[in-house]
Amino acid sequence: MTDTSMRSTSALLYLSGVTVSFDGFKALNNLSLLVEPGEMRAIIGPNGAGKTTMMDVVTGKTRPDSGEVVFDGRADLTKLDEADIATLGIGRKFQKPTVFENHTVRDNLLLALSGLRNWYRLLLAMPTRAENDRLAEILSIIRMEEQQHMLGARLSHGQKQWLEIGMLLAQDPKLLLVDEPVAGMTDVETETTAQVLREINKTHSVVVVEHDMSFVRALDVKVTVLHEGSMLAEGTLDQVSADQRVVEVYLGR
Amino acid sequence: MITRFLLQGMNRSLRLFVLLVLAVGVALPLLNQLMPPGSPFHVPAWLLQLIGKYLSFALLALAVDLVWGFCGILSLGHGAFFALGGYCMGMYLMRQIGSRGVYGNPLLPDFMVFLNYKQLPWFWYGFDNFGFAMLMAVLVPSILAFALGWFAFRSRVTGVYLSIITQAMTFALMLAFFRNDMGLGGNNGMTDFKEILGFSVQADSTRAVLCFASALTLALGLIVSAAIVGSRFGKALTAVRDAESRMRFLGYRVEGYKLFVFVFSAAMAGIAGALYVPQVGIINPSEFSPANSIEAVLWVAVGGRGTLIGPVIGAFIVNFGKTWLTGALPEVWLFALGALFIVVTLLLPKGVVGLWGQIKARSQAKKARAPT
């Protein structure tokens, strides 16, 4: 890849011709995708469409066989590892809530807080006033001040999802990748989560992978439909659901 | 800053426990030295030696727990770091024998004369100096741990594969140290020590000081480990244990965390080995045997992994049982060890220390349920 091709895009996240195969099976097949700064994008698609593999490629967990993955117009994500990519400003929320079960809510947030990552500096580091203020702010956003000294293992499923969103806020990434945030949530929790994501989107770019159609509708953003590792359609939810090919592969008719 | 660092991990029960370790380390040697041999309060030298040995095992257990209990690295090769530390101490003690050996050679230890060595091998230089030997007892295990950890952690070798590598490491070292041409005493190892820092290793007073030194080192080890575990580094460390890939996605370079704690732990095991050798009076390649490393893991499991007090208690319980059973019913010991493994795995996942917590929680629950 040349420098000029990287600079020619204003996109925050730029995927071009990305292919990933596992033992001959093409999880991603010549996938191209653009996410603009400040945008929120919903990605839908049937099982095995490559949604999670796409997240893995962007966060450095999986190396693509070919194609370009560029972040912020300058960083070639195919050459960096998870820690580098996270430090650049890409946060990821997993499908299954993964909070640190043996740490308190507060410590979970402290670990996620952007800033110190060096082991030798953390040996002597004490939380600073700025960090404490930031923790208090996040605890109030996710409404968990009262549970801040509770261990992660003792939280309910919904609370874990909230804590994880709080951890992403603490990480303060430029781009947030969210994998099925409302899986296993009640209708009320789903509605609140959509509100929170819209709130987060005011200051961060967000990519949401989701199965739940009512949730995607509630988000009311541009939708990308994946199928067999490539992009099938793009547009508003109404536009893509009117697309005959999408109806065939996704709605299973 | 250093005091704050050292104090951040201390809580009440750990403070009491460190005081207890120090009290034992002061009281036993004093009772041995000050009470006349006929007195019922006299502590015999063999008991001092035994407790001193247990204290050095406890330090080894603490080292194993630091990597296994707090970082999830199940090392089945910590016996190797222990033995390397022990060999460094053994080399110092051999050079202190001087011309008092059977062959009376002022420079060469007996086994070298026997094997027709004409001059001291290069790696024996400097070991006549106690400070140098102790530095090596820390450095040699650390360097080995660094080399192993550097490659293993960067290649993301984890879990059972890492355990197998560490086990292979100690086995390979055992085979190497069994060879006579290693220049380290071959299968006989090193023994017949005479003096340490000019004091006879056989003397009761020397044993008293060694027992005290072991307790003091264990106490220091507990304090420093508590400081590491209680720091923000420690929080990140246990987070790596619980969800390694999550930490990577948060931007942590997990290798650095693992490598530091692995090297630190190896250094601690090396110091434990150096304390062990003058108290038992011998070091030979069987200290590298894989079973020793596995036994050390068992001490931690029995006491309670992921706690700092647990490994010390576990080391004492299992080794007391071993000393008693191998004396009373020698053929039963291995069965007892196997049974212990099963019982701990099935019934005491958090060890003896965890059992204490379970009992406390249960009695509290009972109290809460009881009508007022």
Side-chain angles (χ1 to χ4, degrees), chain B residues 76-92:
Chain B
L76 294 180
H78 259 56
F81 303 130
F82 181 82
L84 285 171
Y87 263 93
C88 290
M89 176 58 102
M91 287 163 82
Y92 163 75

Side-chain angles (χ1 to χ4, degrees), chain A residues 59-127:
Chain A
T59 51
K61 195 182 174 199
T62 302
R63 294 254 178 268
D65 301 327
S66 61
E68 295 174 43
V69 186
V70 182
F71 180 64
D72 214 5
R74 56 194 162 83
D76 179 359
L77 299 186
T78 59
K79 299 214 163 48
L80 301 172
D81 71 1
E82 295 102 314
D84 283 326
I85 291 173
T87 312
L88 274 176
I90 297 183
R92 179 174 187 178
K93 191 205 158 298
F94 290 86
Q95 195 167 338
K96 212 178 77 186
T98 44
V99 302
F100 299 113
E101 306 241 313
N102 292 307
H103 289 73
T104 61
V105 167
R106 194 186 175 81
D107 283 347
N108 265 281
L109 294 171
L110 184 64
L111 282 167
L113 212 57
S114 59
L116 282 180
R117 290 293 184 266
N118 280 336
W119 61 267
Y120 47 87
R121 289 182 53 200
L122 275 179
L123 269 175
L124 292 169
M126 287 281 154

Side-chain angles (χ1 to χ4, degrees), chain B residues 67 110 160:
Chain B
V67 286
D110 278 349
V160 67

